C-alpha cells in the first residue's frame, strides 16, 4: 500500500525555489522522494543554494536560472523537464514580485513588473504547458496565492491586485480544463517568515510596526514557517488530493476567518 502523500511517481516543476516557500517546497519534495523535480529562479546564486542537493539527487533534480515572465525561459524550463523526464505532472507557479507601496505612489514600471511576474507568467506558462498536459491525459497546476488574493491590506497595492487576479485565473482555468483532467488550485498563505516579508517591512519605512501588525493580524498569534506551507503543496501534489480543483485554499492562521 502507498504511503499517504506519495509523490514518488510525480514529475514536478516549481518556480521561485531559491528562497522562502519555494525553497521549503524543494527540500520537502526531494526529501519525500519525488520522481523528478525542476526548479526555476531568477536568482543567479540558485545553483550555489542547492550545491549539495544537485549532487545528492543528480538524477531527479535540475535547476534553471531565469525570469519566469520571459516566454523564452518558460519554454526552456518546460523543455528541460520534458527532455529529462518525458512529462510534467505538477506545475507550481510560486515565484512572485512584491513592493509594499500604496497604489497612487506606485511607479508604472513596478505595476507592470508585478503583473508580469505574478500574473502574465501564469498565462505564458499555460500557453505552453496546457497542450502538453492535454496530450498527457491531465495534470495539476498549483498557484501560490495569498491572503492578499482575498482581503485588502495597507501598502499591498499592485501585489494584492495581482494576487486577486491569480485567484480568479485559478478558478477560470479549473473550469476551462476540468474536462481534460487538468486540475488547478491556489494555495493562499497568511504571512510566512521569508525574505519577501522582511523586504516589504523594510520598504514600508517602519520595519517594527509593520512586523508587529503582521503578527497581531493572525489570530493564531504568529506567522507561518515556510515548511508548514510546503506540506500543503506536498498533499496537493499527491493522489490523495484528487478531488480538489478550482479552490483557493487558505493556510493563514485564521487571518481571513476574522
Ligand atoms: P521569497 O522572496 O523568499 O522567494 C521568492 C522567490 O522567487 C525568490 O527566490 C526570487 O528570486 C524568485 N523570483 C522573483 N521574481 C522572479 C522571476 N521573475 N522569475 C523567477 N524567479 C523569481 O518569497 P516567498 O515569501 O517565499 O514567496 C513565495 C510565494 O509565496 C510568492 O508567490 C508570494 O507571493 C507568496 N506568499 C508569500 C507570503 C509571505 O508572507 N512570505 C504570504 C503569502 C503568499
Amino acid at each position: 500500500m502507498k504511503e499517504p502523500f506519495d509523490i514518488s511517481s510525480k514529475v514536478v516543476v516549481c518556480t521561485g525555489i531559491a528562497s522562502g516557500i519555494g525553497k521549503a517546497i524543494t527540500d520537502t519534495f526531494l526529501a519525500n522522494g519525488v520522481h523528478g523535480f525542476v526548479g526555476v529562479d531568477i536568482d543567479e546564486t540558485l545553483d550555489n543554494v542547492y550545491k549539495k542537493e544537485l549532487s545528492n539527487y543528480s538524477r531527479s533534480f535540475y535547476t534553471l536560472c531565469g525570469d519566469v515572465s520571459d516566454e523564452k525561459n518558460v519554454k526552456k524550463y518546460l523543455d528541460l523537464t520534458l527532455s529529462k523526464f518525458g512529462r510534467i505532472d505538477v506545475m507550481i507557479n510560486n515565484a512572485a514580485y512584491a513592493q509594499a507601496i500604496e497604489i497612487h505612489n506606485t511607479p508604472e514600471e513596478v505595476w507592470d513588473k508585478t503583473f508580469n511576474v505574478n500574473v502574465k507568467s501564469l498565462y505564458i506558462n499555460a500557453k505552453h504547458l496546457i497542450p502538453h498536459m492535454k496530450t498527457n491525459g491531465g495534470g495539476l497546476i498549483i498557484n501560490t496565492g495569498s491572503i492578499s488574493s482575498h482581503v485588502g491590506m495597507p501598502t499591498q497595492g499592485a501585489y494584492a491586485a495581482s494576487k486577486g487576479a491569480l485567484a480568479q485565473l485559478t478558478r477560470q482555468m479549473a473550469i476551462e480544463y476540468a474536462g481534460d483532467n487538468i486540475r488547478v488550485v491556489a494555495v493562499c498563505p497568511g504571512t510566512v517568515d521569508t525574505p519577501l516579508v522582511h523586504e516589504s517591512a523594510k520598504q514600508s519605512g517602519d520595519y517594527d510596526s509593520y512586523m508587529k501588525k503582521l503578527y497581531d493580524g493572525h489570530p493564531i498569534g504568529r506567522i507561518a514557517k515556510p515548511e508548514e506551507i510546503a506540506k500543503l503543496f506536498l498533499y496537493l501534489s499527491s493522489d490523495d488530493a484528487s478531488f480538489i480543483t478550482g479552490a483557493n485554499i487558505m493556510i493563514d492562521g485564521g487571518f481571513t476567518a476574522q
Side-chain angles (χ1 to χ4, degrees):
M1 206 174 90
K2 278 188 170 181
E3 294 292 317
F5 305 178
D6 180 23
I7 54 164
S8 61
S9 65
K10 304 290 180 188
V11 176
V12 180
V13 180
C14 181
T15 67
I17 68 155
S19 106
I21 295 170
K23 169 102 178 49
I25 292 171
T26 310
D27 292 342
T28 301
F29 278 48
L30 292 177
N32 280 271
V34 68
H35 176 68
F37 194 96
V38 172
V40 186
D41 205 289
I42 199 168
D43 186 337
E44 284 170 5
T45 68
L46 178 62
D47 282 1
N48 227 18
V49 172
Y50 288 106
K51 214 169 173 178
K52 205 173 68 195
E53 290 80 0
L54 283 166
S55 152
N56 288 352
Y57 301 94
S58 60
R59 288 215 299 245
S60 53
F61 180 41
Y62 297 87
T63 53
L64 191 131
C65 189
D67 180 349
V68 295
S69 64
D70 181 338
E71 186 158 16
K72 74 173 180 317
N73 292 324
V74 174
K75 283 186 189 160
K76 264 194 208 163
Y77 69 68
L78 294 177
D79 286 350
L80 171 67
T81 314
L82 292 174
S83 73
K84 295 293 176 195
F85 304 108
R87 63 176 200 280
I88 297 164
D89 300 310
V90 182
M91 176 71 226
I92 303 177
N93 291 306
N94 173 70
Y97 177 70
Q99 291 271 317
I101 319 176
E102 297 161 303
I103 299 277
H104 72 287
N105 286 325
T106 303
E108 196 171 329
E109 57 272 22
V110 170
W111 181 273
D112 288 343
K113 186 170 175 183
T114 306
F115 271 78
N116 284 342
V117 177
N118 301 1
V119 187
K120 192 176 174 191
S121 70
L122 274 59
Y123 147 71
I124 299 171
N125 174 272
K127 205 169 126 182
H128 297 285
L129 176 70
I130 293 289
H132 159 72
M133 282 188 165
K134 281 188 180 209
T135 309
N136 209 34
L140 169 70
I141 299 172
I142 312 177
N143 300 321
T144 308
S146 170
I147 45 178
S148 289
S149 300
H150 305 281
V151 294
M153 277 179 284
T155 76
Q156 294 286 289
Y159 174 78
S162 74
K163 290 293 177 178
L166 176 150
Q168 182 58 6
L169 184 64
T170 300
R171 294 185 199 99
Q172 180 58 32
M173 286 182 62
I175 299 305
E176 214 142 62
Y177 303 117
D180 298 302
N181 194 32
I182 298 170
R183 294 180 298 107
V184 189
V185 182
V187 168
C188 299
T191 308
V192 188
D193 198 345
T194 72
L196 183 139
V197 166
H198 294 283
E199 198 48 46
S200 294
K202 275 186 225 153
Q203 283 160 8
S204 75
D206 188 347
Y207 181 91
D208 289 341
S209 93
Y210 187 96
M211 290 304 287
K212 181 171 177 342
K213 267 194 214 137
L214 291 181
Y215 272 76
D216 292 349
H218 294 73
I220 214 164
R222 64 179 177 86
I223 62 175
K225 298 187 208 90
E227 298 72 33
E228 291 175 289
I229 309 300
K231 283 182 188 145
L232 179 54
F233 282 88
L234 179 68
Y235 163 63
L236 288 172
S237 300
S238 74
D239 289 339
D240 295 293
S242 52
F243 199 59
I244 302 180
T245 194
N248 278 265
I249 302 174
M250 306 313 302
I251 174 161
D252 66 355
F255 193 101
T256 51
Q258 299 172 96

